[in-house]
Amino acid sequence: MQYARASDTIVVWRLDRLSRSLKDQIEMVILLESKEIDLKSLKEAIDTSSNSGKIVFHIFGALAEFERNLIRERTQAGLLAARGRKGGRPKSLSKDKQALAVKLYDEKVHMVDQICEMMGISKPTLYKYIESSEGK
């Protein structure tokens, strides 16, 4: 970009090599147009030096903007539908079994590995239950 001058053509293998997002690509083409620099993509056969190349590029841009708006609407609808629900993974043990695991740990009769095997939980999960019981 630093070396391109008016009436030059920047050639890219694919449009995704030009920038990370389609929004950035559109902004890049607008910047290039303002500096009277053309863009040519070899893979997509788009050449902004011609009117047909410009219209194809802008159609791609319009479709991408439409897709972004659809994604935004779907995300908002999903968030609205999920409002009030508690997310996250369900607890592996009920409150009673959590209390039992902590009790077994506190009795110091069984090793941590044995308690985890009996309860079907991992060591970090056991320690999390122990920590939460101490915080009460």
Side-chain angles (χ1 to χ4, degrees):
M1 285 295 298
Q2 295 173 355
Y3 303 107
R5 298 176 301 231
S7 76
D8 282 351
T9 300
I10 294 179
V11 180
V12 293
W13 168 244
R14 289 178 48 160
L15 281 176
D16 62 357
R17 300 287 113 212
L18 181 64
S19 61
R20 292 182 182 259
S21 69
L22 195 57
K23 179 183 175 192
D24 292 339
Q25 289 175 5
I26 292 170
E27 289 172 0
M28 179 73 72
V29 168
I30 291 170
L31 175 68
L32 292 174
E33 282 179 1
S34 70
K35 294 183 176 186
E36 298 179 7
I37 300 170
D38 296 320
L39 173 69
K40 184 171 188 173
S41 171
L42 300 176
K43 187 74 172 172
E44 290 89 0
I46 295 175
D47 185 358
T48 61
S49 64
S50 68
N51 288 329
S52 60
K54 286 179 185 176
I55 190 73
V56 168
F57 185 83
H58 287 288
I59 288 172
F60 283 164
L63 290 174
E65 184 178 350
F66 175 72
E67 183 179 10
R68 276 195 310 272
N69 289 336
L70 278 179
I71 291 170
R72 186 179 305 119
E73 286 176 9
R74 289 177 184 153
T75 301
Q76 292 300 322
L79 290 172
L80 185 63
R83 189 158 287 143
R85 294 186 187 164
K86 186 172 182 175
R89 185 175 181 169
K91 300 288 183 194
S92 56
L93 297 180
S94 66
K95 292 284 184 190
D96 294 337
K97 288 187 179 182
Q98 288 178 29
L100 177 60
V102 171
K103 180 181 175 190
L104 290 171
Y105 177 81
D106 289 340
E107 289 175 351
K108 300 191 187 311
V109 175
H110 300 285
M111 294 178 65
V112 171
D113 289 335
Q114 292 173 326
I115 298 170
C116 291
E117 190 175 323
M118 284 189 285
M119 294 296 176
I121 58 175
S122 67
K123 286 181 186 180
T125 301
L126 175 61
Y127 290 127
K128 183 176 69 172
Y129 293 152
I130 292 166
E131 186 179 307
S132 68
S133 72
E134 291 171 354
K136 289 183 179 178

